[in-house]
Amino acid sequence: MTAPRFKRILLKLSGEVLMGQGQFGIDPATCERVAREVKAATEAGFEICMVVGGGNIFRGLAGAAQGFERASADYMGMLATVMNALAMQNTLERLGVDTRVQSAIPMASVSEPYIRRKAMRHMEKGRVVIFAAGTGLPFFTTDTTAALRAAEMNCDALFKGTSVDGVYNADPKKVPDATRYEELSFDRVLVDNLKVMDATAVALCRDNNIPIVVFNIRDEGTLEAVLRGEGTSTIVRNNPESA
Ligand code: UDP
């Protein structure tokens, strides 16, 4: 198989990635490691925009289970993503990467509002745009936000940074001989309910023909390697050669 090459990508990071070894919140050392990955990729000429989750701080579903009204809990979750976006922005800028945060919930004193054409312009100028506050709508997730923004920003692929190096036929942390898929079709992911991203996000990527690349963001140098078509990952796309 010829490895696909992508120029413009949307990088989705779940909030959990940012908490490092901790159980909650933001770990500055982890933010810096991730930021170094992004910096290396931009220096190699790739165009990057990002969506960060909020699960390390607050998730709407968990809040609803504790008695909060679901929509309110979702807004709390979206605000959590803003904190993560600011943490990533701050860390990237300390490393000399030019960034902009755009929030789907207007918040004039902390970020720009989400304006697609402005975000496009930022990317053309080589800035990393970080999309905060999800879609701005309750009952959605940041996975779906990532698929939506990837489509809006004409991204070649959605890169999902996780703590495993792809999609497996069983949990590789529990099943030692679990095998990793090299490629998968969107339909297979949906029918077999493989844990890649939520179903809305997967369907959105399928319908807009945006491949999803699942890779391990915790291993140093992986983002750039996978972008170059060299690292370990699973690619979910329409009409894969296998699977
Ligand atoms: N959220 C929402 N609408 C969106 C995106 C996110 O309501 O468009 C809320 C939802 O409550 C979610 C929380 O924000 O649980 C944090 O996002 P997510 O769970 O996707 O974060 P991740 O799992 O990626 O850390």
Side-chain angles (χ1 to χ4, degrees):
M1 183 195 99
T2 321
R5 298 286 155 92
F6 309 112
K7 170 88 175 153
R8 174 177 289 189
I9 66 144
L10 186 138
L11 173 64
K12 162 75 208 294
L13 295 179
S14 70
E16 278 170 11
V17 165
L18 300 184
M19 66 190 187
Q21 299 304 316
Q23 298 299 308
F24 179 82
I26 303 169
D27 175 43
T30 307
C31 287
E32 179 161 335
R33 230 187 19 68
V34 172
R36 286 194 187 286
E37 295 286 302
V38 175
K39 180 181 162 118
T42 55
E43 284 175 350
F46 295 101
E47 296 174 8
I48 313 244
C49 55
M50 297 172 69
V51 166
V52 283
N56 54 327
I57 300 169
F58 197 87
R59 273 210 177 89
L61 269 178
Q66 290 170 331
F68 291 109
E69 186 198 4
R70 171 71 192 272
S72 293
D74 278 341
Y75 280 110
M76 291 159 76
M78 285 185 263
L79 295 179
T81 72
V82 179
M83 293 173 70
N84 286 334
L86 294 181
M88 276 315 301
Q89 173 175 49
N90 196 268
T91 316
L92 281 162
E93 299 246 328
R94 258 192 289 129
L95 298 179
V97 181
D98 207 6
T99 68
R100 292 292 185 274
V101 172
Q102 288 203 345
S103 172
I105 298 175
M107 230 176 278
S109 27
V110 286
S111 81
E112 292 181 4
Y114 173 63
I115 299 172
R116 176 179 168 269
R117 286 170 62 105
K118 213 165 172 189
M120 282 287 199
R121 190 81 189 102
H122 288 319
M123 290 197 76
E124 283 159 18
K125 288 182 177 169
R127 296 171 183 147
V128 172
V129 184
I130 306 168
F131 298 113
T135 58
L137 303 167
F139 300 97
F140 286 94
T141 64
T142 52
D143 275 359
T144 302
T145 310
L148 176 65
R149 297 287 184 248
E152 288 183 277
M153 300 303 292
N154 298 334
C155 290
D156 303 314
L158 193 170
F159 273 53
K160 163 105 176 168
T162 70
S163 56
V164 276
D165 59 1
V167 184
Y168 283 75
N169 61 355
D171 184 349
K173 288 174 183 158
K174 292 181 190 147
V175 183
D177 58 357
T179 53
R180 183 177 53 82
Y181 298 104
E182 200 66 40
E183 284 191 305
L184 281 167
S185 67
F186 289 114
D187 289 337
R188 173 95 187 269
V189 168
L190 290 171
V191 169
D192 292 356
N193 198 19
L194 298 173
K195 302 288 173 228
V196 175
M197 300 184 94
D198 62 60
T200 314
V202 174
L204 207 49
C205 284
R206 178 193 61 191
D207 297 350
N208 292 288
N209 203 19
I210 301 168
I212 301 174
V213 180
V214 182
F215 73 105
N216 188 345
I217 188 82
R218 292 181 197 255
D219 287 351
E220 215 172 317
T222 327
L223 175 59
E224 201 194 329
V226 175
L227 277 165
R228 288 185 189 286
E230 291 159 6
T232 312
S233 65
T234 296
I235 301 183
V236 184
R237 60 179 176 177
N238 285 318
N239 307 317
E241 286 167 26
S242 58

